[in-house]
Every structure is written in C-alpha cells, then in structure tokens.
Amino acid sequence: MITSGAMRFGRKARFVAPGILALACGGGPSFDGHVFKNDQLSFRVANAPGGFRPVAPDGALLAYRDDEEGATIALSGRCGKDGDDVPLEALTHHLFLQFTERNVESQEKFTLDGREALRTTLTAKLDGVEKHFSVVVLKKNGCVYDFLMVERAGGSHSAEQRFSEFVEGFRSIAP
C-alpha cells in the first residue's frame, strides 16, 4: 500500500517517498562517496550535488535530498535484464506506468559515459499529486542505469542544473 504523498516510481514497483528510494539491489553494496560497488555493477559519481545531502534508504543504490527545494535525486541500476534489446524510450516510459496525466516537456538523446542516453523532463501525477521529473536512462555493458530527479510541480526547478552536473559525473567501472 502506498501512503499519502508517496510516489511509485519505476520498474517492479519501486517506491519513492520524500527522501526515500527503495529498490532491489544486489548483496554487499559499498559506497565510499564516489565509487559504488555491488555484486552486479560498479560505477563512479562526482560529489553529491550542491545543497543535497545523502540519504541512506534501505536497499537504494544512491539517493540525495535537498530539503529546502523539496527535491530528491536518485540513481538505480541493474544488469542482465533490459540491457540489450529494449530501446531507451521504452525503458523511460516503463518508469512511469503507474502515473497518470503524464506530460512530456522535453526529450533528448545525448552521450553519457561513451554511450547514448535519453533525458526526459515531464510532469506526472500519482494519486492526484503532481510532481516534476527529470529522468536519464543509460544502457551500458548489459546494465541499465536510471537517474531520477523529482521535485514539486510548478516550482522553480532550481535543482535541474545540479541534477545535470551529477549525471555528467557518472562513469561505469568494468567488473
């Protein structure tokens, strides 16, 4: 059951609530502030986005929260499923299957970590609550990475630039 104000996000019914991202993650994850490793994947990220603090939800890969702006940035990933044969557009669409009144504001392909990635900005509602999202989906080496920023709809969207800088700092690490 989803509590009031919570948002369902992603594949296999992951949940994002203010400051919380819960998703399936392999055993033994480690993160030193820049390098994340678990039994499936490893990657490097830049510093936490300015004004955001790390949050440590159960089973999350990475999540950061800016309480003042009411924004959350999260990074999830998985390997061995959808990594080769599903287009980026379909992977992005799948993230928002549980949402209504989806309004795509922009969508563009760009190069991230040497691969084509898809960035989408949109507004969508869950249980009548509208939020603004920026999502980047990347497929690399049999893995799919989902970068998410969610914030209040109709706000200043001041976290957009910090989200972009965070995404640009991503690099996968060969197993």
Side-chain angles (χ1 to χ4, degrees), residues 114-167:
R115 294 288 173 88
E116 186 176 77
L118 182 66
R119 180 184 181 124
T120 305
T121 59
L122 69 146
T123 57
K125 287 185 178 182
L126 180 68
D127 297 333
V129 178
E130 185 177 55
K131 295 290 183 176
H132 180 262
F133 298 88
S134 287
V135 177
V136 172
V137 177
L138 169 71
K139 296 189 311 183
K140 186 164 185 181
N141 302 330
C143 298
V144 176
Y145 299 93
D146 299 322
F147 301 81
L148 164 75
M149 186 200 52
V150 59
E151 60 187 338
R152 294 179 207 115
S156 67
H157 305 306
S158 63
E160 289 273 352
Q161 181 62 36
R162 293 176 286 162
F163 175 66
S164 293
E165 291 168 2
F166 176 73
V167 169

Side-chain angles (χ1 to χ4, degrees), residues 87-104:
L88 295 171
E89 293 85 357
L91 291 169
T92 300
H93 177 75
H94 195 254
L95 294 172
F96 293 93
L97 288 177
Q98 302 297 322
F99 290 78
T100 60
E101 299 183 45
R102 295 180 295 267
N103 179 35
V104 175

Side-chain angles (χ1 to χ4, degrees), residues 32-53:
D32 68 5
H34 291 283
V35 175
F36 176 91
K37 293 181 182 181
N38 70 12
D39 62 347
Q40 293 184 339
L41 48 78
S42 59
F43 55 84
R44 174 179 293 281
V45 294
N47 292 329
F52 281 78
R53 64 180 171 80

